[in-house]
Amino acid sequence: IKGETLSEEERKRYLKIARRHTVRLGSLIGDLFELSKLDSASVTPQLESFSVPELVQDIAQEFQLQAEKKNITLSLKLDTNSAFTIGDIGLIQRVLENLVRNAIRFTPAGGEVTLSISERPQSVAVAVSDTGAGIPDNEISHIFDRFYRSDQGNGARSDSSGLGLAIVKKILDLHDSRITVVSKVNAGTRFEFELPRHRQAA
Ligand SMILES: Nc1ncnc2c1ncn2[C@@H]1O[C@H](COP(=O)(O)OP(=O)(O)O)[C@@H](O)[C@H]1O
Ligand SMILES: [Mg+2]
């Protein structure tokens, strides 16, 4: 990038690399910052009543283009249009974003990512499933660890810090919720968590 010594082509190539590193550092710093805020008592979930299907629809819209670009079908399976919960909507949004981003990343072209909601007597269950790479049994117990990430291909190295699922788990901990995962290598993965149901006064 230093002046005359580089050809236009080289200059472009270095700029591209620099930009990629910058983006990656940016998201690493963002994730680290988020996690340390969640660790310190400085973030207490701001609880409010909100509609889970509405949030899930927003997330689907947010990732629609990204999915299309990779020729992945992103679909919704909602068994209710009006299930309310009490939680921190901004934090639950982060949970869903991290899960959907992973699902798209680990699913090859032609695959499917599905966001689904089921209403249960005391809760609203939210699931993100994909028809992607799957996770080997011996890795499942590590995926929620900080900085853990599989080192297999799928471009996983490029934009990943290994903090996404640690953030997911931390946020759900703060909501007294747990996440479960079921996965089969080369078949797909399904993450599910429950939020308390909130029956709204009319
Ligand atoms: N939907 C998925 N399909 C397959 N593997 C997954 C999926 N989601 C997460 N993983 C595995 O869990 C690891 C940790 O995920 P995460 O904490 O989000 O970190 P990162 O996305 O930075 O790799 C991933 O590297 C991958 O091995
Ligand atoms: Mg991730």
Side-chain angles (χ1 to χ4, degrees):
I1 300 176
K2 267 191 288 169
E4 306 78 359
T5 52
L6 288 179
S7 72
E8 190 59 23
E9 203 145 298
E10 283 174 313
R11 194 195 307 260
K12 273 193 189 138
R13 196 160 62 84
Y14 284 126
L15 277 173
K16 231 182 204 164
I17 293 171
R19 186 170 55 196
R20 206 166 59 228
H21 283 284
T22 308
V23 167
R24 197 159 76 197
L25 262 181
S27 64
L28 173 59
I29 290 168
D31 282 352
L32 277 172
F33 187 55
E34 185 169 12
L35 204 48
S36 69
K37 270 193 304 186
L38 289 166
D39 279 339
S40 72
S42 70
V43 174
T44 45
Q46 300 296 301
L47 301 183
E48 59 176 310
S49 173
F50 67 89
S51 158
V52 183
E54 271 179 37
L55 174 63
V56 166
Q57 277 165 330
D58 287 349
I59 301 287
Q61 208 156 43
E62 181 185 340
F63 285 94
Q64 197 61 54
L65 196 67
Q66 205 177 311
E68 265 170 40
K69 270 189 189 155
K70 216 185 149 180
N71 192 23
I72 288 171
T73 309
L74 179 58
S75 50
L76 288 172
K77 223 163 92 190
L78 311 179
D79 80 354
T80 166
N81 287 315
S82 65
F84 280 79
T85 188
I86 294 196
D88 186 316
I89 186 168
L91 292 179
I92 299 301
Q93 177 177 345
R94 294 288 295 139
V95 166
L96 286 166
E97 285 169 347
N98 285 348
L99 294 177
V100 173
R101 193 175 300 122
N102 282 345
I104 292 175
R105 182 142 56 87
F106 290 101
T107 300
E112 274 175 57
V113 171
T114 308
L115 277 157
S116 50
I117 296 180
S118 353
E119 212 170 3
R120 304 204 172 138
Q122 304 297 331
S123 66
V124 188
V126 184
V128 177
S129 51
D130 66 61
T131 60
I135 306 166
D137 283 343
N138 64 320
E139 288 190 31
I140 291 263
S141 59
H142 300 297
I143 58 173
F144 295 99
D145 295 349
R146 293 174 186 202
F147 301 112
Y148 182 84
R149 51 201 207 135
S150 67
D151 41 26
Q152 298 132 317
N154 280 330
R157 261 161 261 103
S158 54
D159 67 337
S160 105
S161 61
L163 290 172
L165 288 179
I167 291 172
V168 162
K169 182 165 177 287
K170 184 74 199 184
I171 290 173
L172 291 176
D173 277 351
L174 292 172
H175 284 81
D176 290 316
S177 175
R178 260 187 309 276
I179 187 159
T180 58
V181 51
V182 180
S183 186
K184 198 164 178 244
V185 171
N186 293 326
T189 305
R190 175 188 170 89
F191 288 91
E192 183 180 306
F193 61 94
E194 288 179 80
L195 296 168
R197 229 176 111 180
H198 180 227
R199 285 181 188 73
Q200 290 222 310

